[in-house]
Amino acid sequence: MQQREEKLLDASVESLISRVAHLKNALHSFIYKLENEYERLTWPSVLDNFALLSGQLNTINKLLRNEKTPSFRQQIIIPLLLSPDRDEELAKLTEQRVPVFSHEIVPDHLRTKPDPEVEEQEKQLSAEAARIGTEVAQKQIQTLNKLCSNLLEKLNNPRDDRDADSAAIRQNKPSFNPADTNALVAAVGFGKGLSKCRPPGPVAPGHTGQGPMMSGGPTLQQVTIGGGSGQQQGMGPGAPQQQGQPGKMPCNIKTNIKAASSMHPYNR
Amino acid sequence: MEAPPVSVLPITGGTINMMEYLLQGSVLDQALESLLHRLRGLCDNMEPETFADHELVYLLKGQQGNPFLLRARRSLSHPTVPWHLRYLGQPEVGDKSRHALVRNCVDVAASHSLPDFLNEMGFRMDHEFVAKGHIFRRGVLKVVVSKLSRILVPGNTENTEPLSLSYLVELSVLAPAGQDTMSEDMRSFAEQLKPLVHLEKIDPKRHM
């Protein structure tokens, strides 16, 4: 009977040790990653690490809750020998973390109660909880539960009417006008609506009444102008003047215009 | 307008055939602020750049039907900066699935005697307008948000009236011919600007 229990205890302690070792390794690699590769770390991989740790803690919990596991609470650990000397075996076992089994490490490693500060805080919290009374506490619990469930519902069910509302709002305020798009593109593309056909009204009508102007200089007559169009040429000192009417005007000036060659003379 | 794109390929006599990929849309004046905020977030981090340009479009009428079009642009905010002369070809009728308008594009800088020179060559100014707005960049993508204004008295860029109550939004990329991967990037960027602006391939011939 005793032996069986001892064997059971040994086995469960072994498995507990291995699980805790896994957890320790996971923590170790996570801390390393956080310290050295924090520039490259992404939030999803941090979450993955946390998930791994949580999974390992869960298995440890399951192990402890297992019926086959004897209750560890009934076991007592008593340090038999405390010495300030360095113990090589212990150092090797704990990977140089606990080199000396002395008075300093016993309170930390063999602790069964929480730290005094933590104990103080816990006492305060329980006193607070007792003070407000059970009904108030119940009501607070219910409110919290309701809030959480509301939030969960909103997050889990994207409601279609919510989308319809926002879509309706967007439709009420259109941010572009397709007719304007077409007008602007036409204006930039080939000057529709710009000064080609002068818009009536704001433009001085004097322009359309402009008579034909003398072509500037004899040199122009010898330049091969393709097709001999009837358009007049005006050389103003400032911006070039333009005829008001679109299309050809009857040619009042007898100029010597040669037929154009297909290649413009200034082409390379 | 900003200086024409610098090409790192050596010019060995021939010209580098640059194509312009273009998507256009517009945004109403009241939605301009939100569009600018969004662009500031999406595009490269730089000081918001505004511009004020005066563009003159010159036509050379040939014997054949199609006139030859050249666009001369000068900056109103930086009067000493050289003029920018640009030729845009006809939109390429490639496969319909290409998302952006593709056309041949040649850009050169020119001195301030450009209008006189073009007149001497035989070009006639067809129309002119003033464009004022903002320019954003994201890698090679260029987004220009501009307000087009009609010039009431030719040559007088102070006296202008806006063409419409919207701003023109253009997304363009200049790339050597043959690179078709641009249109995909442009389309995904355009997706991010919806529903504020619908950037799409608009064929200017349709609105003739």
Side-chain angles (χ1 to χ4, degrees), chain A residues 28-39 41:
Chain A
H28 182 67
S29 62
F30 189 30
I31 291 177
Y32 180 81
K33 247 197 269 190
L34 280 175
E35 279 179 0
N36 299 337
E37 300 173 11
Y38 56 84
E39 285 147 16
L41 212 50

Side-chain angles (χ1 to χ4, degrees), chain A residues 10-84:
Chain A
D10 279 342
S12 53
V13 167
E14 284 294 328
S15 53
L16 193 63
I17 288 178
S18 71
R19 293 266 186 272
V20 170
H22 286 159
L23 184 65
K24 178 180 80 79
N25 286 334
L27 268 174
H28 182 67
S29 62
F30 189 30
I31 291 177
Y32 180 81
K33 247 197 269 190
L34 280 175
E35 279 179 0
N36 299 337
E37 300 173 11
Y38 56 84
E39 285 147 16
R40 285 194 298 275
L41 212 50
T42 61
W43 180 239
S45 77
V46 169
L47 284 178
D48 284 342
N49 280 94
F50 276 123
L52 176 66
L53 291 172
S54 143
Q56 284 172 340
L57 282 169
N58 262 339
T59 41
I60 293 179
N61 271 339
K62 252 193 293 197
L63 180 68
L64 289 174
R65 260 185 254 134
N66 195 359
E67 302 109 19
K68 294 243 181 83
T69 324
S71 167
F72 291 129
R73 278 183 194 270
Q74 293 162 357
Q75 312 292 332
I76 303 176
I77 300 183
I78 309 175
L80 289 176
L81 175 65
L82 291 178
S83 82

Side-chain angles (χ1 to χ4, degrees), chain A residues 170 174-178 180-196 198-199 202-204 207 219-220 223-227 229 231-242 247 259-262 264 266, chain B residues 24-28 30-31 55-56 58-63 69 71 115-116 119-121 123-129 148-155 161 163-168 170 195-198 200 202-205 207-208:
Chain A
R170 258 183 270 135
S175 58
F176 69 94
N177 182 358
D180 274 351
T181 309
N182 292 339
L184 287 170
V185 168
V188 171
F190 47 85
K192 181 171 183 181
L194 293 172
S195 50
K196 186 161 188 175
R198 286 300 167 88
V203 180
H207 268 288
T219 48
L220 251 80
V223 168
T224 53
I225 301 170
S229 74
Q231 278 196 338
Q232 309 301 313
Q233 301 157 8
M235 295 300 285
Q241 308 275 330
Q242 183 175 354
S261 55
S262 55
H264 197 283
Y266 293 95
Chain B
Q24 289 167 308
S26 77
V27 69
L28 291 170
Q30 51 262 41
E55 176 158 328
L56 302 91
Y58 284 86
L59 271 191
L60 182 67
K61 284 218 160 79
Q63 311 158 300
L69 212 127
R71 294 167 183 276
D116 299 341
N119 275 317
E120 295 273 359
M121 297 275 283
F123 285 84
R124 285 298 151 257
M125 188 188 75
D126 187 60
H127 59 272
E128 55 179 345
F129 57 88
L148 301 181
S149 307
R150 185 187 288 133
I151 293 183
L152 300 170
V153 177
E161 79 169 356
L163 264 182
S164 78
L165 296 171
S166 294
Y167 276 71
L168 178 68
E170 287 173 303
L196 273 181
V197 191
H198 272 211
E200 49 195 3
I202 303 178
D203 188 7
K205 291 287 176 289
H207 301 289
M208 220 120 188

Side-chain angles (χ1 to χ4, degrees), chain B residues 108-169:
Chain B
V108 286
S111 69
H112 289 267
S113 50
L114 183 66
D116 299 341
F117 179 72
L118 288 173
N119 275 317
E120 295 273 359
M121 297 275 283
F123 285 84
R124 285 298 151 257
M125 188 188 75
D126 187 60
H127 59 272
E128 55 179 345
F129 57 88
V130 166
K132 290 195 179 149
H134 306 257
I135 176 168
F136 296 88
R137 230 163 303 179
R138 180 190 162 95
V140 284
L141 263 60
K142 183 172 78 171
V143 183
V144 180
V145 180
S146 56
K147 185 91 167 145
L148 301 181
S149 307
R150 185 187 288 133
I151 293 183
L152 300 170
V153 177
N156 185 358
T157 52
E158 304 296 320
N159 200 4
T160 62
E161 79 169 356
L163 264 182
S164 78
L165 296 171
S166 294
Y167 276 71
L168 178 68
V169 183

Side-chain angles (χ1 to χ4, degrees), chain B residues 175-195:
Chain B
Q179 257 189 32
D180 242 4
T181 53
M182 282 303 144
S183 49
E184 272 313 307
D185 296 336
M186 293 174 76
R187 194 174 68 87
S188 48
F189 187 77
E191 287 289 319
Q192 295 182 325
L193 287 182
K194 289 187 180 175

